Amino acid sequence: MSTAPSSTSSRAESPVRNPPLAREECGFWTREKLRNADTDQFHHVNNAVISTLLEAARMEMLADEALKTSMAGKIVVVAHLSIDFLSEVYFPGGVEIGSATIRVGRTSFELAQGLFVGSQCFASARAICVLIDIERREPTVIPDAIRVHLLKGQ
């Protein structure tokens, strides 16, 4: 016999929040220009766009020319992403996305990211990314060159 979840179930608990990053914690930086099309009916940058800005920063980290050989035949997929929207961001202007490597495992790595305007962190995120072999479509070992590159961001 099943019962309805009680009001004290774990779903009612507050989620774990990503703490705002400080600029000095970030080892990788990406700059993006905000567009009018990035805004919603409330005239602030849409939450989905913030997710896209964070993605652009993750992809730019691994687009380094020195990693071209190590990335051949591989892609990065996001296995988990959590974002805390700390304050509104408005058009016009630009943002800087800072990323810091939290951990590098055998086939995955974890990043902390922050979206900044000046010194203020407007959104913070955690992403667990997995390196995938394109042909086999399964996780693959992170090559040493990529590992060293990611660890520079700690």
Side-chain angles (χ1 to χ4, degrees):
M1 181 162 108
S2 67
T3 59
S6 72
S7 62
T8 60
S9 74
S10 62
R11 284 189 228 171
E13 294 176 19
S14 296
V16 175
R17 293 186 54 94
N18 299 312
L21 286 179
R23 292 184 69 87
E24 57 273 6
E25 294 179 83
C26 301
F28 299 101
W29 288 94
T30 299
R31 294 177 193 266
E32 294 286 340
K33 182 179 178 180
L34 298 174
R35 306 167 307 152
N36 181 56
D38 296 335
T39 62
D40 60 18
Q41 71 270 24
F42 303 112
H43 305 289
H44 63 251
V45 175
N46 184 287
N47 293 348
V49 171
I50 289 173
S51 177
T52 300
L53 294 169
L54 294 165
E55 177 189 35
R58 290 191 303 274
M59 294 303 100
E60 189 172 306
M61 283 176 53
L62 295 172
D64 190 296
E65 188 63 30
L67 298 179
K68 197 172 192 173
T69 302
S70 297
M71 285 299 296
K74 300 170 186 70
I75 58 171
V76 175
V77 298
V78 175
H80 176 79
L81 177 64
S82 65
I83 304 172
D84 284 303
F85 303 98
L86 307 171
S87 187
E88 295 173 323
V89 180
Y90 294 94
F91 169 84
V95 295
E96 293 179 288
I97 304 98
S99 302
T101 304
I102 301 296
R103 168 192 72 74
V104 180
R106 188 174 154 276
T107 62
S108 66
F109 57 95
E110 182 176 0
L111 300 174
Q113 294 184 283
L115 187 129
F116 292 85
V117 175
S119 62
Q120 187 175 359
C121 183
F122 284 83
S124 62
R126 290 287 175 113
I128 297 174
C129 304
V130 181
L131 192 65
I132 300 289
D133 179 285
I134 293 172
E135 288 184 21
R136 292 181 294 144
R137 305 305 286 180
E138 59 186 40
T140 190
V141 174
I142 296 173
D144 288 339
I146 296 173
R147 180 178 303 281
V148 167
H149 179 74
L150 288 169
L151 291 173
K152 284 191 263 184
Q154 284 189 318

